[in-house]
Amino acid sequence: MKLPLTETTRLDKWLWAARFFKTRTLATNAIELGRVLQNEQRVKPAHTVRSGDILEIHHGEQVWTVTVLLVSETRGPAPLAQTMYQETEASRTARATEAEKRRYFHEPAAAIHGRPTKRDRRRLDSGWG
């Protein structure tokens, strides 16, 4: 299968087609909240995307910095969607570092089952978990 390519498209459509967001509505909301920057500037969802643009996408705890390679308005399979952009090396290493930190992080409240007692709450607040 081959994606139909265009020269420009809306930013929210491109983010949806490149599979950064499940729906266009989620992509639009992220753009409006300033979680997506195009060439280091806040833009609106209808702003056009061209090949060569640099996007910084904050999705949950992950931050992606990608360069747009292909522009398409249609959502295709994931392997084809991954050919639409190229992640920068700095972004890739930063995401790997954050994933490693999350792997070894221990949530202090995980040992408490149910509602914490007054003693448990004091221990959590003091950082002794």
Side-chain angles (χ1 to χ4, degrees):
M1 181 180 173
K2 189 175 178 184
L3 292 174
L5 302 177
T6 60
E7 221 172 282
T8 63
T9 188
R10 292 173 53 113
L11 179 58
D12 58 347
K13 277 188 181 182
W14 188 88
L15 289 169
W16 169 74
R19 295 183 168 262
F20 283 103
F21 295 95
K22 260 187 169 176
T23 63
R24 270 187 62 195
T25 304
L26 290 174
T28 302
N29 291 341
I31 296 166
E32 288 173 348
L33 291 172
R35 295 182 182 145
V36 177
L37 302 177
Q38 183 177 6
N39 299 325
E40 299 179 356
Q41 295 181 351
R42 281 186 74 165
V43 292
K44 293 185 177 183
H47 200 274
T48 58
V49 176
R50 290 182 170 83
S51 180
D53 285 346
I54 297 172
L55 301 177
E56 185 175 320
I57 305 157
H58 297 260
H59 192 277
E61 295 180 2
Q62 295 185 349
V63 179
W64 297 74
T65 304
V66 298
T67 304
V68 177
L69 299 177
L70 302 172
V71 179
S72 177
E73 292 184 346
T74 58
R75 187 176 171 106
L80 283 179
Q82 290 173 352
T83 63
M84 294 174 59
Y85 60 89
Q86 180 180 14
E87 186 175 9
T88 62
E89 193 61 38
S91 172
R92 191 175 294 123
T93 57
R95 283 189 323 106
T97 304
E98 286 299 316
E100 193 69 21
K101 284 181 185 177
R102 281 193 307 272
R103 185 174 163 208
Y104 291 113
F105 177 71
H106 172 69
E107 178 64 42
I112 300 172
H113 300 290
R115 185 173 174 179
T117 62
K118 187 183 258 187
R119 180 180 176 196
D120 293 336
R121 172 57 55 203
R122 287 181 180 151
R123 292 178 84 193
L124 284 172
D125 290 341
S126 70
W128 286 95

